mmCIF file of all heavy atoms in Angstrom:
data_model
loop_
_atom_site.group_PDB
_atom_site.id
_atom_site.type_symbol
_atom_site.label_atom_id
_atom_site.label_comp_id
_atom_site.label_asym_id
_atom_site.label_seq_id
_atom_site.Cartn_x
_atom_site.Cartn_y
_atom_site.Cartn_z
ATOM 1 N N VAL O 1 0.836 -1.195 0.000
ATOM 2 C CA VAL O 1 0.000 0.000 0.000
ATOM 3 C C VAL O 1 0.876 1.252 0.000
ATOM 4 O O VAL O 1 0.615 2.209 -0.738
ATOM 5 C CB VAL O 1 -0.968 -0.004 1.209
ATOM 6 C CG1 VAL O 1 -1.731 1.304 1.294
ATOM 7 C CG2 VAL O 1 -1.909 -1.189 1.133
ATOM 8 N N ALA O 2 1.928 1.238 0.791
ATOM 9 C CA ALA O 2 2.831 2.395 0.831
ATOM 10 C C ALA O 2 3.499 2.589 -0.525
ATOM 11 O O ALA O 2 3.664 3.721 -0.990
ATOM 12 C CB ALA O 2 3.869 2.216 1.924
ATOM 13 N N LYS O 3 3.884 1.493 -1.151
ATOM 14 C CA LYS O 3 4.504 1.572 -2.482
ATOM 15 C C LYS O 3 3.520 2.149 -3.497
ATOM 16 O O LYS O 3 3.883 3.004 -4.312
ATOM 17 C CB LYS O 3 4.963 0.171 -2.904
ATOM 18 C CG LYS O 3 5.537 0.081 -4.283
ATOM 19 C CD LYS O 3 6.917 0.665 -4.346
ATOM 20 C CE LYS O 3 7.531 0.324 -5.701
ATOM 21 N NZ LYS O 3 8.096 1.470 -6.325
ATOM 22 N N LEU O 4 2.280 1.692 -3.448
ATOM 23 C CA LEU O 4 1.261 2.223 -4.359
ATOM 24 C C LEU O 4 1.016 3.709 -4.119
ATOM 25 O O LEU O 4 0.870 4.487 -5.066
ATOM 26 C CB LEU O 4 -0.044 1.441 -4.201
ATOM 27 C CG LEU O 4 -0.082 0.065 -4.846
ATOM 28 C CD1 LEU O 4 -1.382 -0.650 -4.483
ATOM 29 C CD2 LEU O 4 0.035 0.173 -6.352
ATOM 30 N N GLU O 5 0.960 4.110 -2.860
ATOM 31 C CA GLU O 5 0.757 5.526 -2.543
ATOM 32 C C GLU O 5 1.910 6.375 -3.062
ATOM 33 O O GLU O 5 1.703 7.462 -3.604
ATOM 34 C CB GLU O 5 0.605 5.708 -1.030
ATOM 35 C CG GLU O 5 -0.719 5.239 -0.474
ATOM 36 C CD GLU O 5 -0.806 5.378 1.028
ATOM 37 O OE1 GLU O 5 0.231 5.666 1.684
ATOM 38 O OE2 GLU O 5 -1.916 5.191 1.554
ATOM 39 N N GLU O 6 3.118 5.867 -2.919
ATOM 40 C CA GLU O 6 4.289 6.603 -3.405
ATOM 41 C C GLU O 6 4.260 6.722 -4.929
ATOM 42 O O GLU O 6 4.531 7.794 -5.483
ATOM 43 C CB GLU O 6 5.558 5.882 -2.957
ATOM 44 C CG GLU O 6 6.836 6.601 -3.331
ATOM 45 C CD GLU O 6 8.069 5.829 -2.863
ATOM 46 O OE1 GLU O 6 8.034 5.243 -1.777
ATOM 47 O OE2 GLU O 6 9.059 5.841 -3.620
ATOM 48 N N ASP O 7 3.917 5.624 -5.618
ATOM 49 C CA ASP O 7 3.823 5.661 -7.082
ATOM 50 C C ASP O 7 2.738 6.633 -7.539
ATOM 51 O O ASP O 7 2.928 7.396 -8.499
ATOM 52 C CB ASP O 7 3.528 4.260 -7.634
ATOM 53 C CG ASP O 7 4.718 3.324 -7.512
ATOM 54 O OD1 ASP O 7 5.840 3.816 -7.246
ATOM 55 O OD2 ASP O 7 4.511 2.093 -7.669
ATOM 56 N N LEU O 8 1.604 6.610 -6.878
ATOM 57 C CA LEU O 8 0.509 7.504 -7.225
ATOM 58 C C LEU O 8 0.904 8.963 -7.019
ATOM 59 O O LEU O 8 0.613 9.826 -7.853
ATOM 60 C CB LEU O 8 -0.732 7.166 -6.393
ATOM 61 C CG LEU O 8 -1.968 7.986 -6.667
ATOM 62 C CD1 LEU O 8 -2.458 7.752 -8.092
ATOM 63 C CD2 LEU O 8 -3.066 7.645 -5.675
ATOM 64 N N GLU O 9 1.577 9.239 -5.929
ATOM 65 C CA GLU O 9 2.024 10.612 -5.665
ATOM 66 C C GLU O 9 3.021 11.072 -6.723
ATOM 67 O O GLU O 9 2.945 12.210 -7.218
ATOM 68 C CB GLU O 9 2.656 10.667 -4.270
ATOM 69 C CG GLU O 9 3.003 12.066 -3.828
ATOM 70 C CD GLU O 9 3.509 12.076 -2.388
ATOM 71 O OE1 GLU O 9 3.017 11.286 -1.573
ATOM 72 O OE2 GLU O 9 4.400 12.903 -2.114
ATOM 73 N N GLN O 10 3.937 10.192 -7.111
ATOM 74 C CA GLN O 10 4.924 10.538 -8.142
ATOM 75 C C GLN O 10 4.245 10.797 -9.481
ATOM 76 O O GLN O 10 4.566 11.751 -10.192
ATOM 77 C CB GLN O 10 5.952 9.406 -8.268
ATOM 78 C CG GLN O 10 7.065 9.707 -9.230
ATOM 79 C CD GLN O 10 7.921 10.867 -8.774
ATOM 80 O OE1 GLN O 10 8.113 11.079 -7.585
ATOM 81 N NE2 GLN O 10 8.424 11.635 -9.712
ATOM 82 N N MET O 11 3.270 9.953 -9.821
ATOM 83 C CA MET O 11 2.541 10.139 -11.074
ATOM 84 C C MET O 11 1.746 11.441 -11.065
ATOM 85 O O MET O 11 1.697 12.160 -12.066
ATOM 86 C CB MET O 11 1.579 8.954 -11.290
ATOM 87 C CG MET O 11 1.740 8.318 -12.624
ATOM 88 S SD MET O 11 0.766 6.845 -12.956
ATOM 89 C CE MET O 11 -0.524 6.772 -11.819
ATOM 90 N N THR O 12 1.134 11.746 -9.947
ATOM 91 C CA THR O 12 0.361 12.982 -9.828
ATOM 92 C C THR O 12 1.257 14.202 -10.033
ATOM 93 O O THR O 12 0.890 15.143 -10.740
ATOM 94 C CB THR O 12 -0.327 13.044 -8.456
ATOM 95 O OG1 THR O 12 -1.132 11.887 -8.278
ATOM 96 C CG2 THR O 12 -1.190 14.287 -8.330
ATOM 97 N N LEU O 13 2.427 14.174 -9.416
ATOM 98 C CA LEU O 13 3.361 15.292 -9.582
ATOM 99 C C LEU O 13 3.806 15.427 -11.041
ATOM 100 O O LEU O 13 3.895 16.539 -11.573
ATOM 101 C CB LEU O 13 4.582 15.107 -8.678
ATOM 102 C CG LEU O 13 4.350 15.334 -7.187
ATOM 103 C CD1 LEU O 13 5.589 14.959 -6.395
ATOM 104 C CD2 LEU O 13 3.962 16.776 -6.917
ATOM 105 N N THR O 14 4.059 14.303 -11.691
ATOM 106 C CA THR O 14 4.469 14.336 -13.093
ATOM 107 C C THR O 14 3.372 14.927 -13.967
ATOM 108 O O THR O 14 3.629 15.779 -14.823
ATOM 109 C CB THR O 14 4.812 12.914 -13.579
ATOM 110 O OG1 THR O 14 5.817 12.364 -12.727
ATOM 111 C CG2 THR O 14 5.316 12.933 -15.008
ATOM 112 N N TYR O 15 2.138 14.489 -13.745
ATOM 113 C CA TYR O 15 1.014 15.021 -14.524
ATOM 114 C C TYR O 15 0.801 16.507 -14.275
ATOM 115 O O TYR O 15 0.515 17.263 -15.195
ATOM 116 C CB TYR O 15 -0.271 14.250 -14.234
ATOM 117 C CG TYR O 15 -0.316 12.879 -14.861
ATOM 118 C CD1 TYR O 15 -0.749 11.784 -14.151
ATOM 119 C CD2 TYR O 15 0.092 12.677 -16.180
ATOM 120 C CE1 TYR O 15 -0.777 10.523 -14.716
ATOM 121 C CE2 TYR O 15 0.068 11.421 -16.752
ATOM 122 C CZ TYR O 15 -0.377 10.346 -16.013
ATOM 123 O OH TYR O 15 -0.403 9.109 -16.582
ATOM 124 N N MET O 16 0.938 16.927 -13.037
ATOM 125 C CA MET O 16 0.769 18.352 -12.731
ATOM 126 C C MET O 16 1.835 19.187 -13.442
ATOM 127 O O MET O 16 1.540 20.270 -13.954
ATOM 128 C CB MET O 16 0.808 18.572 -11.217
ATOM 129 C CG MET O 16 -0.442 18.059 -10.518
ATOM 130 S SD MET O 16 -0.371 18.215 -8.738
ATOM 131 C CE MET O 16 -0.366 19.978 -8.541
ATOM 132 N N GLN O 17 3.067 18.680 -13.482
ATOM 133 C CA GLN O 17 4.129 19.398 -14.190
ATOM 134 C C GLN O 17 3.842 19.458 -15.684
ATOM 135 O O GLN O 17 4.029 20.506 -16.316
ATOM 136 C CB GLN O 17 5.482 18.722 -13.943
ATOM 137 C CG GLN O 17 6.010 18.903 -12.543
ATOM 138 C CD GLN O 17 7.262 18.072 -12.280
ATOM 139 O OE1 GLN O 17 7.609 17.197 -13.065
ATOM 140 N NE2 GLN O 17 7.935 18.352 -11.169
ATOM 141 N N ASP O 18 3.376 18.356 -16.249
ATOM 142 C CA ASP O 18 3.036 18.334 -17.679
ATOM 143 C C ASP O 18 1.910 19.306 -17.994
ATOM 144 O O ASP O 18 1.957 20.038 -18.982
ATOM 145 C CB ASP O 18 2.637 16.925 -18.114
ATOM 146 C CG ASP O 18 3.821 15.964 -18.141
ATOM 147 O OD1 ASP O 18 4.973 16.444 -18.095
ATOM 148 O OD2 ASP O 18 3.584 14.734 -18.191
ATOM 149 N N ILE O 19 0.893 19.320 -17.153
ATOM 150 C CA ILE O 19 -0.239 20.234 -17.366
ATOM 151 C C ILE O 19 0.225 21.683 -17.276
ATOM 152 O O ILE O 19 -0.172 22.528 -18.080
ATOM 153 C CB ILE O 19 -1.369 19.930 -16.364
ATOM 154 C CG1 ILE O 19 -2.029 18.605 -16.722
ATOM 155 C CG2 ILE O 19 -2.402 21.056 -16.337
ATOM 156 C CD1 ILE O 19 -3.036 18.119 -15.695
ATOM 157 N N TYR O 20 1.075 21.982 -16.317
ATOM 158 C CA TYR O 20 1.589 23.345 -16.176
ATOM 159 C C TYR O 20 2.361 23.767 -17.427
ATOM 160 O O TYR O 20 2.180 24.875 -17.940
ATOM 161 C CB TYR O 20 2.474 23.431 -14.930
ATOM 162 C CG TYR O 20 3.145 24.768 -14.759
ATOM 163 C CD1 TYR O 20 2.413 25.881 -14.346
ATOM 164 C CD2 TYR O 20 4.497 24.928 -15.017
ATOM 165 C CE1 TYR O 20 3.018 27.111 -14.193
ATOM 166 C CE2 TYR O 20 5.113 26.149 -14.869
ATOM 167 C CZ TYR O 20 4.370 27.235 -14.457
ATOM 168 O OH TYR O 20 4.978 28.449 -14.314
ATOM 169 N N GLN O 21 3.209 22.873 -17.936
ATOM 170 C CA GLN O 21 3.978 23.194 -19.141
ATOM 171 C C GLN O 21 3.061 23.382 -20.346
ATOM 172 O O GLN O 21 3.262 24.289 -21.157
ATOM 173 C CB GLN O 21 5.000 22.095 -19.414
ATOM 174 C CG GLN O 21 6.138 22.078 -18.419
ATOM 175 C CD GLN O 21 7.081 20.905 -18.619
ATOM 176 O OE1 GLN O 21 6.802 20.011 -19.408
ATOM 177 N NE2 GLN O 21 8.196 20.909 -17.903
ATOM 178 N N LEU O 22 2.043 22.532 -20.462
ATOM 179 C CA LEU O 22 1.098 22.676 -21.573
ATOM 180 C C LEU O 22 0.332 23.991 -21.488
ATOM 181 O O LEU O 22 0.115 24.658 -22.504
ATOM 182 C CB LEU O 22 0.121 21.502 -21.597
ATOM 183 C CG LEU O 22 0.702 20.175 -22.085
ATOM 184 C CD1 LEU O 22 -0.308 19.063 -21.882
ATOM 185 C CD2 LEU O 22 1.113 20.266 -23.525
ATOM 186 N N LYS O 23 -0.069 24.376 -20.297
ATOM 187 C CA LYS O 23 -0.783 25.648 -20.135
ATOM 188 C C LYS O 23 0.102 26.819 -20.522
ATOM 189 O O LYS O 23 -0.366 27.778 -21.143
ATOM 190 C CB LYS O 23 -1.273 25.804 -18.694
ATOM 191 C CG LYS O 23 -2.493 24.976 -18.382
ATOM 192 C CD LYS O 23 -2.985 25.221 -16.969
ATOM 193 C CE LYS O 23 -4.217 24.408 -16.678
ATOM 194 N NZ LYS O 23 -4.733 24.645 -15.322
ATOM 195 N N LYS O 24 1.387 26.745 -20.165
ATOM 196 C CA LYS O 24 2.306 27.813 -20.550
ATOM 197 C C LYS O 24 2.431 27.897 -22.068
ATOM 198 O O LYS O 24 2.403 28.980 -22.644
ATOM 199 C CB LYS O 24 3.685 27.574 -19.925
ATOM 200 C CG LYS O 24 3.793 28.014 -18.494
ATOM 201 C CD LYS O 24 5.129 27.713 -17.852
ATOM 202 C CE LYS O 24 6.324 28.006 -18.683
ATOM 203 N NZ LYS O 24 7.608 27.731 -18.004
ATOM 204 N N LYS O 25 2.540 26.742 -22.723
ATOM 205 C CA LYS O 25 2.672 26.729 -24.179
ATOM 206 C C LYS O 25 1.407 27.244 -24.850
ATOM 207 O O LYS O 25 1.475 28.003 -25.824
ATOM 208 C CB LYS O 25 2.989 25.319 -24.671
ATOM 209 C CG LYS O 25 4.386 24.872 -24.332
ATOM 210 C CD LYS O 25 4.668 23.467 -24.809
ATOM 211 C CE LYS O 25 6.067 23.034 -24.431
ATOM 212 N NZ LYS O 25 6.363 21.668 -24.856
ATOM 213 N N VAL O 26 0.245 26.864 -24.329
ATOM 214 C CA VAL O 26 -1.021 27.341 -24.898
ATOM 215 C C VAL O 26 -1.134 28.847 -24.730
ATOM 216 O O VAL O 26 -1.567 29.553 -25.648
ATOM 217 C CB VAL O 26 -2.215 26.611 -24.240
ATOM 218 C CG1 VAL O 26 -3.523 27.305 -24.555
ATOM 219 C CG2 VAL O 26 -2.260 25.162 -24.683
ATOM 220 N N LYS O 27 -0.730 29.349 -23.588
ATOM 221 C CA LYS O 27 -0.779 30.795 -23.354
ATOM 222 C C LYS O 27 0.120 31.533 -24.340
ATOM 223 O O LYS O 27 -0.277 32.557 -24.911
ATOM 224 C CB LYS O 27 -0.362 31.103 -21.923
ATOM 225 C CG LYS O 27 -0.499 32.549 -21.557
ATOM 226 C CD LYS O 27 -0.140 32.785 -20.110
ATOM 227 C CE LYS O 27 -0.273 34.249 -19.770
ATOM 228 N NZ LYS O 27 0.087 34.529 -18.372
ATOM 229 N N ILE O 28 1.301 31.003 -24.593
ATOM 230 C CA ILE O 28 2.221 31.624 -25.552
ATOM 231 C C ILE O 28 1.620 31.602 -26.954
ATOM 232 O O ILE O 28 1.654 32.600 -27.679
ATOM 233 C CB ILE O 28 3.588 30.919 -25.514
ATOM 234 C CG1 ILE O 28 4.293 31.216 -24.197
ATOM 235 C CG2 ILE O 28 4.451 31.336 -26.693
ATOM 236 C CD1 ILE O 28 5.531 30.372 -23.962
#
């Protein structure tokens, strides 16, 4: 369960970074 929680948290952070970069590109 701890391993799954850690993987989920890492994936969430990666997706948030990708979304932020995409929003910046769309704004430009």
Side-chain angles (χ1 to χ4, degrees):
V1 174
K3 176 75 170 131
L4 284 174
E5 286 177 350
E6 184 180 322
D7 289 346
L8 182 64
E9 187 175 325
Q10 184 65 33
M11 232 175 18
T12 304
L13 287 173
T14 304
Y15 286 135
M16 288 176 66
Q17 289 173 348
D18 289 345
I19 289 172
Y20 175 74
Q21 289 175 352
L22 286 172
K23 283 183 179 181
K24 279 177 44 178
K25 289 179 181 179
V26 166
K27 185 177 179 181
I28 291 170

